[in-house]
């Protein structure tokens, strides 16, 4: 079953035609569904699981992949190990498939989805609040708070064409930096606690965020741990000075005070003011937040 998000930043009308051609050439039986709004994929995936589908391919961005994942995790029809998630990314960030080194050639990517190895990976679970009501969602790649979430909010205000540009996140980063304010976060994790004014927090199940940035370069998505980067009471100049390190994975080597990196199986994030969060490039509600790793919860073939 292909779950297609036609509103994804890089998606065009010809994408599905090309996918169908390759699948027919490989004599594979398949169905497809075009999503109509945010959250639609999660609901439909649960319905399709009830109908007997077991292998799902998300075509869209990281948010589309995340919605399919939540469909897996929220259903109670079959065990997780009966389901397989695949993806061909046409979104803004495409960070989930970047972890697995997916070929940019559509036919090669689809061939691997058909015949490639299945990997078992962890899944993140976040507890949060909307209008005072406790909620929870699962994420496949990353969660971001503070400045990190503000960048996603700015990106969401762009047109689909603008979001499809490879420098979208970098542009949003520099634009948001002008008006950003630090938030007095308290971050508690397995081995300690950080409590200070914080610019940004990135929680990585995967290595990449923001279309190829590596805020959490040591993340391994099947080791039962998050890789976490906390950018505390640092100046905006420090951010600009280290932008290149965000992309080459050497940020942890920067000798800057108030920049923290650690690994943990769970963490809580609190602030005395209302905050926003993003998971897999999609905005969710307010804190306090609790994040935990669900070990070996997903079969993925990318």
């Amino acid at each position: 079953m292909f779950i297609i998000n036609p509103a994804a930043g890089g998606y065009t009308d010809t994408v599905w035609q090309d996918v169908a051609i390759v699948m027919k050439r490989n004599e594979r039986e398949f169905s497809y569904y075009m999503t109509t709004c945010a959250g639609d994929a999660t609901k439909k995936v649960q319905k399709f699981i009830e109908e007997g589908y077991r292998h799902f391919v998300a075509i869209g961005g990281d948010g589309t992949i995340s919605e399919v994942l939540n469909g897996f995790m929220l259903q109670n029809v079959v065990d997780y190990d009966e389901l397989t998630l695949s993806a061909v990314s046409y979104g803004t960030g495409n960070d989930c498939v970047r972890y697995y080194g997916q070929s940019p050639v559509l036919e090669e990517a689809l061939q691997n989805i058909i015949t490639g190895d299945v990997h078992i990976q962890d899944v993140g679970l976040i507890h949060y609040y909307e209008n005072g009501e406790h909620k929870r969602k699962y994420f496949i790649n990353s969660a971001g708070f503070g400045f990190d979430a503000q960048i996603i909010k700015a990106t969401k205000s762009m047109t689909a064409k603008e979001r499809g540009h490879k420098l979208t996140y970098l542009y949003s980063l520099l634009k948001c930096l002008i008006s950003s304010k630090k938030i007095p976060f308290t971050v508690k994790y397995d081995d300690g606690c950080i409590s200070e004014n914080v610019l940004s927090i990135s929680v990585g199940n995967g290595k990449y965020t923001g279309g190829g940035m590596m805020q959490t370069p040591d993340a391994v998505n099947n080791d039962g741990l998050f890789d976490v980067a906390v950018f505390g009471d640092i100046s905006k100049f420090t951010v600009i000075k280290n932008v290149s390190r965000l992309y080459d994975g050497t940020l942890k080597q920067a000798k800057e005070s108030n920049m923290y990196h650690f690994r943990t199986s769970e963490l809580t994030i609190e602030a005395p003011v209302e905050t926003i969060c993003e998971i897999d490039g999609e905005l969710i509600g307010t804190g306090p937040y609790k994040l935990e790793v669900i070990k070996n919860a997903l079969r993925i073939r990318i």
Side-chain angles (χ1 to χ4, degrees):
M1 172 61 73
F2 286 86
I3 304 295
I4 307 160
N5 178 7
Y11 186 84
T12 66
D13 292 338
T14 62
V15 169
W16 174 243
Q17 298 173 27
D18 295 337
V19 170
I21 289 171
V22 174
M23 295 300 291
K24 290 175 181 176
R25 186 184 302 146
N26 282 271
E27 299 182 341
R28 308 294 293 189
E29 294 184 11
F30 61 94
S31 300
Y32 72 93
Y33 175 77
M34 294 273 187
T35 61
T36 59
C37 61
D40 188 28
T42 296
K43 296 177 182 177
K44 286 299 191 294
V45 164
Q46 293 176 75
K47 174 178 177 292
F48 292 139
I49 290 172
E50 291 178 356
E51 294 178 3
Y53 290 93
R54 297 294 181 264
H55 188 181
F56 291 80
V57 185
I59 297 185
D62 291 335
T64 308
I65 300 171
S66 191
E67 284 200 21
V68 174
L69 167 69
N70 275 272
F72 283 17
M73 302 301 290
L74 295 173
Q75 59 82 36
N76 55 13
V77 177
V78 298
D79 291 336
Y80 302 149
D81 59 8
E82 293 187 36
L83 302 171
T84 302
L85 172 61
S86 297
V88 180
S89 277
Y90 286 91
T92 306
N94 304 325
D95 292 304
C96 177
V97 301
R98 185 175 280 106
Y99 184 96
Y100 287 100
Q102 184 176 76
S103 171
V105 179
L106 177 61
E107 185 157 2
E108 292 179 4
L110 286 171
Q111 192 61 53
N112 196 59
I113 285 170
I114 295 170
T115 62
D117 295 333
V118 172
H119 303 274
I120 310 298
Q121 74 159 77
D122 304 335
V123 167
L125 169 62
I126 182 168
H127 300 264
Y128 64 102
Y129 291 85
E130 282 186 359
N131 300 319
E133 182 181 355
H134 172 259
K135 301 279 187 179
R136 65 176 186 171
K137 273 193 175 182
Y138 298 87
F139 60 95
I140 191 169
N141 185 60
S142 66
F145 306 83
F147 181 53
D148 197 78
Q150 290 295 333
I151 294 172
I152 297 298
K153 186 176 182 179
T155 303
K156 292 295 181 185
S157 67
M158 298 178 179
T159 65
K161 184 177 180 180
E162 289 171 333
R163 292 198 306 272
H165 195 281
K166 65 180 181 179
L167 295 179
T168 293
Y169 278 98
L170 179 58
Y171 171 77
S172 294
L173 184 154
L174 296 175
K175 181 180 178 181
C176 290
L177 192 59
I178 298 172
S179 58
S180 65
K181 295 181 179 179
K182 299 184 185 77
I183 297 171
F185 278 117
T186 297
V187 182
K188 298 178 181 179
Y189 55 100
D190 288 352
D191 298 321
C193 175
I194 297 168
S195 186
E196 66 177 71
N197 288 332
V198 169
L199 179 67
S200 183
I201 304 169
S202 182
V203 180
N205 189 40
K207 295 177 184 295
Y208 302 99
T209 59
M213 296 180 187
M214 284 188 278
Q215 299 183 73
T216 55
D218 292 339
V220 179
N221 68 12
N222 62 0
D223 66 353
L225 298 170
F226 293 126
D227 193 28
V228 183
V230 178
F231 305 95
D233 201 358
I234 60 176
S235 69
K236 296 177 181 180
F237 173 74
T238 299
V239 176
I240 295 173
K241 184 176 68 173
N242 287 287
V243 162
S244 64
R245 291 185 179 274
L246 285 171
Y247 285 93
D248 64 18
T250 63
L251 189 61
K252 293 177 71 172
Q253 299 172 23
K255 296 180 179 180
E256 304 284 354
S257 59
N258 303 95
M259 288 174 56
Y260 310 94
H261 299 270
F262 56 87
R263 293 162 64 74
T264 183
S265 62
E266 65 177 39
L267 69 160
T268 59
I269 299 174
E270 301 178 356
V273 296
E274 187 171 284
T275 57
I276 60 173
C277 168
E278 62 89 9
I279 56 170
D280 295 333
E282 300 297 323
L283 296 172
I284 62 171
T286 63
Y289 306 97
K290 179 180 179 181
L291 298 88
E292 54 190 295
V293 176
I294 310 299
K295 180 71 174 167
N296 296 331
L298 178 65
R299 286 166 45 90
I300 189 163
R301 181 188 284 162
I302 290 181

